[in-house]
Amino acid sequence: MRLAALLAVAMLSAPAMAQEMDGRMDHGAHGDHGAQGGQAMPDMPAMEDEAGGDPHQGHDAHGAPAAALPLPVPDHSAHRAPQILPATPDLPGDALPPPIPEDHAADRYFPRERMERTRAALRGEGRFATASVMIDELEYRPRGGKDGYAWDGRFWYGGDIDRLALSTEGEGRFGAAPESAELRAVWRHALDPWFNLELGVRHDFRPDPERSYAVIGIEGLAPYWLEVSGHVFVSDKGDVHLRAEAEYDQRITQRLIFQPRAEIDAALQDVPELGIGAGFESVELGARLRYEFARQFAPYAGIHWERKLGETARLARARGEGASSLAAVVGIRAWF
């Protein structure tokens, strides 16, 4: 009986123990879930409310880095850069030349006085002087029984910057005194690689009476290789004359050159003793074709036309002379 009673008690108490163990196991599982957040989430608002804080406090983990990062600061340096540029920036070609070097490496190894003499001798090599004689025109002008001639030559001596230049030109008829003959002596100074300033004197041996002039002018090579010159002449009597000349060498072949040429003269006042009226005095046009057997020697042929203008033409007609003339020309051009 006792054994039967013990067995009955054991059978009745086993389900109760099993139910108690299951209940403990379920709470542990929920506890694990709460640690993972699955069951703890509903509890968090309650905790925040109790603290009286920001309902978005749960986002602090996301907001903290944004608050810690510095805000980007716009860079205005690029806008300020133009303000520090010079008002008139240097253009290409206007840059200042570099300073002249004053330290000579050779002075470290040789006596300075000796090297200075050597440098002075070297600088002297660049100050050369040369000379040239140019017979630009030496020609014959047949005129139907009144054959004439003309010449135009020049000589210069000096360097690249300063030169002494002599030039002469004139014309006439055979068997008579020259109609015009002048000699000019000028100091020629280079203004730039293309043009020269000329200052000097001119003396006219013909026409009669002779007259001397002060000369100021410019001559050089214009764009398109046009040789031009312009001069003002002031005589010892006070009359003022102007002259402009231009010529161009058109190279047809390496030896055959066509040269058109023009000259115009003007006066600011009447000079009756020389047969010159105020205004444009005369114009001369010519065209010559030369063949250079050598660069220093070239015969040529061409035509020459000249005409007196204005009051000068009227004075020429009053003397029984023609106002214009046209002539064929042959001549030589040489230089050495």
Side-chain angles (χ1 to χ4, degrees), residues 107-167:
D107 292 351
R108 305 173 189 172
Y109 306 98
F110 301 97
R112 184 180 181 87
E113 295 77 11
R114 180 180 176 185
M115 293 309 304
E116 185 60 36
R117 290 197 301 270
T118 303
R119 286 191 289 271
L122 184 61
R123 288 193 293 268
E125 293 294 329
R127 293 194 295 268
F128 61 90
T130 58
S132 173
V133 176
M134 165 70 76
I135 302 174
D136 199 25
E137 293 178 5
L138 183 58
E139 62 190 28
Y140 170 69
R141 297 177 178 177
R143 293 179 179 174
K146 298 180 180 178
D147 298 345
Y149 58 87
W151 74 89
D152 185 350
R154 66 204 64 172
F155 162 82
W156 61 260
Y157 173 82
D160 287 342
I161 304 301
D162 297 289
R163 294 178 179 178
L164 171 64
L166 303 175
S167 61

Side-chain angles (χ1 to χ4, degrees), residues 93-226:
D94 294 338
L96 295 176
I100 299 175
E102 297 180 355
D103 56 330
H104 303 284
D107 292 351
R108 305 173 189 172
Y109 306 98
F110 301 97
R112 184 180 181 87
E113 295 77 11
R114 180 180 176 185
M115 293 309 304
E116 185 60 36
R117 290 197 301 270
T118 303
R119 286 191 289 271
L122 184 61
R123 288 193 293 268
E125 293 294 329
R127 293 194 295 268
F128 61 90
T130 58
S132 173
V133 176
M134 165 70 76
I135 302 174
D136 199 25
E137 293 178 5
L138 183 58
E139 62 190 28
Y140 170 69
R141 297 177 178 177
R143 293 179 179 174
K146 298 180 180 178
D147 298 345
Y149 58 87
W151 74 89
D152 185 350
R154 66 204 64 172
F155 162 82
W156 61 260
Y157 173 82
D160 287 342
I161 304 301
D162 297 289
R163 294 178 179 178
L164 171 64
L166 303 175
S167 61
T168 177
E169 62 180 83
E171 61 182 3
R173 289 178 295 180
F174 292 105
E179 298 174 3
S180 65
E182 68 176 55
L183 176 65
R184 192 188 312 173
V186 298
W187 165 67
R188 181 179 295 171
H189 178 74
L191 300 175
D192 59 21
W194 309 105
F195 284 92
N196 300 311
L197 173 68
E198 291 190 341
L199 298 172
V201 295
R202 161 189 157 188
H203 183 78
D204 286 2
F205 298 95
R206 299 288 299 176
D208 192 34
E210 298 184 6
R211 188 156 291 184
S212 297
Y213 302 86
V215 179
I216 180 171
I218 189 172
E219 67 90 26
L221 191 63
Y224 302 101
W225 303 98
L226 193 66

Side-chain angles (χ1 to χ4, degrees), residues 232-253:
V232 178
F233 307 100
V234 182
S235 78
D236 52 357
K237 304 298 182 183
D239 46 299
V240 181
H241 304 259
L242 311 174
R243 176 179 296 173
E245 298 174 87
E247 64 181 42
Y248 180 75
D249 280 358
Q250 176 60 56
R251 190 172 294 275
I252 300 174
T253 68

